[in-house]
Amino acid sequence: MATKTESRSKSENKSRRSGGEKSAFSWGDNNAGVLIGAAAAGAALGFAANMGRKLFMQGMTSAAGDWSEALAAEHKLALAIFDKIEATEDDQTRMRSMLLAKLKYALTKHALEEENVIYPAHRQANSAHDADTLEGEHGYVKTYLYELENMPHDSEEWLARVRDFRSMIEEHMQMEENEVFPALKAQMSDDQN
């Protein structure tokens, strides 16, 4: 049973809310502009953050100079991530997961650049065999990444698989940097490069 004081206080609060004062949680006309503004600001901030990330990642590539130097710089970045993974201990599963995610992102970005630009240029330069070989190796990269994601990260077998993966990646990188890319560059004009 409510006392007179409690009843009066509840009715005063009701009249205050129905009068001039509104709750911050009400969806009345006065707050619609604020909500729309906040949504627009959030969308703009998200867009700006995405553009900044994109420019940062693409900036690293373009800062390297020509395309073969840019791809070689990305190779070095991937090998640095492998170094960090190999330096982890078996009980550092969270760190291994984070580094594997970074590696996956770096290799996926790199593969897309090659598959969308470099390998088609190989085909145009009558080097379809090289393009097909390298693109086929990208399939193995995806397989290794899948296996590593799904293996327990706290075992010696996981780290041994990382080392096998690195060995395969290094061979792929050396073939690109020392044989395939120089041969492609030699066939291209300055404008094409």
Side-chain angles (χ1 to χ4, degrees):
M1 173 167 221
T3 64
K4 284 186 177 184
T5 309
E6 289 176 2
S7 296
R8 193 170 353 135
S9 137
K10 287 180 182 176
S11 67
E12 285 173 5
N13 286 338
K14 269 187 183 177
S15 67
R16 229 183 285 137
R17 271 188 249 131
S18 62
E21 290 184 39
K22 293 196 175 195
S23 166
F25 299 102
S26 67
W27 293 90
D29 294 333
N30 295 339
N31 288 335
V34 172
L35 291 173
I36 291 170
L45 184 62
F47 179 75
N50 190 42
M51 290 301 292
R53 179 198 56 80
K54 195 173 185 180
L55 288 172
F56 174 73
M57 293 308 294
Q58 291 174 351
M60 288 188 341
T61 302
S62 62
D66 74 5
W67 61 269
S68 62
E69 291 172 8
L71 293 174
E74 290 180 2
H75 288 165
K76 286 182 178 103
L77 175 68
L79 293 176
I81 297 170
F82 273 111
D83 289 341
K84 289 178 182 178
I85 291 172
E86 291 180 80
T88 61
E89 300 294 327
D90 289 343
D91 64 343
Q92 293 179 299
T93 57
R94 181 171 285 157
M95 178 65 74
R96 285 180 174 182
S97 294
M98 182 195 73
L99 290 169
L100 182 60
K102 282 185 170 187
L103 181 65
K104 183 178 180 180
Y105 176 79
L107 292 176
T108 300
K109 175 189 173 292
H110 182 79
L112 285 172
E113 291 170 343
E114 289 181 342
E115 291 168 4
N116 291 329
V117 179
I118 305 302
Y119 299 164
H122 274 290
R123 288 184 179 88
Q124 285 181 337
N126 295 321
S127 298
H129 175 72
D130 288 335
D132 292 343
T133 300
L134 294 169
E135 199 160 7
E137 290 177 3
H138 284 188
Y140 290 112
V141 169
K142 293 169 188 167
T143 300
Y144 270 98
L145 289 169
Y146 176 82
E147 288 175 0
L148 289 170
E149 285 179 325
N150 291 292
M151 288 176 72
H153 291 48
D154 60 352
S155 67
E156 289 181 22
E157 294 85 26
W158 189 84
L159 204 51
R161 194 68 176 147
V162 167
R163 289 183 178 118
D164 289 342
F165 184 32
R166 180 188 183 133
S167 177
M168 192 267 303
I169 289 286
E170 284 180 317
E171 189 176 312
H172 176 86
M173 291 173 176
Q174 289 173 359
M175 186 171 130
E176 286 181 337
E177 291 179 26
N178 299 331
E179 299 170 28
V180 179
F181 292 165
L184 177 62
K185 261 185 126 172
Q187 294 177 345
M188 299 173 84
S189 69
D190 287 341
D191 290 339
Q192 289 172 320
N193 269 316

